[in-house]
Amino acid sequence: MIQDLHSHTYYSFCGRDNPEAIVEAAINGGIELFGICDHNYGVEFGKKIAFKAPEDIVPNEYDGVSMRRYFDHINLIKEKYADRIRVLCGIEIATDSCRAKATLPDTADISFFDYCLIEGLDREDSVTGGDLFKFAKRCGCAHIGVAHTDMFSFIASRAEDPYRYFKRMAEQNIFWEMNVSYDSIHKYREHPYMLEFFKNEEQQAIVRELGVRLSVGFDGHRVEDYLPARVADYCRRITDLGIKMVFED
């Protein structure tokens, strides 16, 4: 399966394009499964000026309506292109506590999304406290992934056994993203953990044997930067390794 589960639209402060533009780029690039997962704080606040305003001007109050409107909009896109590509609506969850407005309020319901991506799990200031499984349960989505994180280094930092940790991930339907971004927004920087995984047979064996699902995400922010051939290449590499991707039968 050729999939890309990490893309951003104008709903994210760092994104620029409308949903139709990025979906059409995916179609033209031969992507079969395409996930749009804008940042939770971009969806919640709508405008960057509101996000950056002082608390006494714009209270940091969660607006559940804005989340539903975003979900409904992407689902309209899903229906519009249903005969050409499978589109999913996800949400990327920031967990760095140093930005109060970026974190997801405890009262926020995101369980209705097709999936969510958790970022910042390995940050010292993460609101998860490094407890992936507790936070995944709080999110409540049927499919939960860990975005652009070196899981093997993270697990080692917690003095955990990688076999047991990845087994728990598989049991709780938590997938691991291979972020293959290579664009102007990320200054054409590649993630070392992703490059290491594709040459490290021991890591591959653990993921394969324990049944952890992987995803591929370009983390696109500008449609002109999009490299669907790069996405397809890494999807095929995963398949060749005998590892299944999330949403794959």
Side-chain angles (χ1 to χ4, degrees):
M1 175 189 291
I2 307 302
Q3 64 168 241
D4 180 356
L5 295 186
H6 197 156
S7 60
H8 296 284
T9 71
Y10 53 45
Y11 278 101
S12 294
F13 298 145
C14 50
R16 188 189 61 192
D17 303 297
N18 63 53
E20 288 90 345
I22 65 171
V23 170
E24 288 177 8
I27 292 171
N28 293 334
I31 305 298
E32 299 170 322
L33 175 62
F34 191 63
I36 298 173
C37 60
D38 283 295
H39 292 289
N40 65 285
Y41 50 88
V43 176
E44 289 171 35
F45 284 90
K47 294 183 178 181
K48 196 169 186 178
I49 189 172
F51 177 70
K52 290 193 171 184
E55 294 293 334
D56 59 345
I57 296 177
V58 182
N60 186 23
E61 295 180 357
Y62 168 71
D63 179 7
V65 174
S66 62
M67 283 287 197
R68 286 287 180 177
R69 284 175 176 166
Y70 166 69
F71 180 77
D72 290 343
H73 183 190
I74 302 306
N75 272 279
L76 288 174
I77 301 298
K78 182 188 300 187
E79 295 173 7
K80 179 178 179 178
Y81 292 97
D83 61 338
R84 301 173 65 190
I85 191 173
R86 183 183 176 193
V87 175
L88 297 179
C89 182
I91 190 83
E92 185 173 14
I93 307 300
T95 68
D96 48 325
S97 61
C98 65
R99 296 185 298 162
K101 289 188 178 183
T103 57
L104 192 70
D106 291 337
T107 57
D109 177 19
I110 60 168
S111 61
F112 52 88
F113 284 98
D114 294 324
Y115 67 98
C116 74
L117 290 178
I118 300 172
E119 65 171 349
L121 175 67
D122 54 351
R123 289 179 59 114
E124 291 185 2
D125 66 339
S126 174
V127 296
T128 68
D131 191 338
L132 167 62
F133 304 105
K134 181 179 179 180
F135 193 75
K137 184 176 181 180
R138 174 264 173 270
C139 291
C141 297
H143 295 87
I144 295 171
V146 181
H148 42 71
T149 298
D150 184 339
M151 287 303 298
F152 281 93
S153 291
F154 171 70
I155 293 169
S157 72
R158 292 177 60 82
E160 301 240 23
D161 177 12
Y163 282 89
R164 292 179 181 177
Y165 199 95
F166 277 106
K167 187 174 187 293
R168 288 184 69 188
M169 286 179 63
E171 291 171 346
Q172 296 185 34
N173 205 25
I174 299 174
F175 63 91
W176 183 23
E177 177 196 77
M178 293 290 110
N179 189 299
V180 300
S181 63
Y182 191 74
D183 60 356
S184 60
I185 293 297
H186 298 99
K187 303 185 186 304
Y188 301 100
R189 180 181 66 252
E190 296 183 285
H191 288 278
Y193 85 88
M194 182 274 296
L195 298 174
E196 173 63 21
F197 178 78
F198 284 102
K199 65 182 182 182
N200 190 315
E201 295 183 0
E202 182 179 356
Q203 290 187 4
Q204 296 164 12
I206 291 174
V207 169
R208 180 172 52 247
E209 292 168 14
L210 297 176
V212 176
R213 299 285 182 124
L214 298 183
S215 70
V216 171
F218 189 75
D219 201 0
H221 291 74
R222 300 287 185 273
V223 71
E224 66 267 21
D225 281 345
Y226 193 42
L227 300 174
R230 179 176 171 84
V231 172
D233 175 53
Y234 278 102
C235 287
R236 295 189 183 102
R237 292 191 195 190
I238 290 173
T239 299
D240 290 345
L241 291 172
I243 297 172
K244 285 196 171 185
M245 290 185 286
V246 65
F247 298 110
E248 182 180 7
D249 295 331

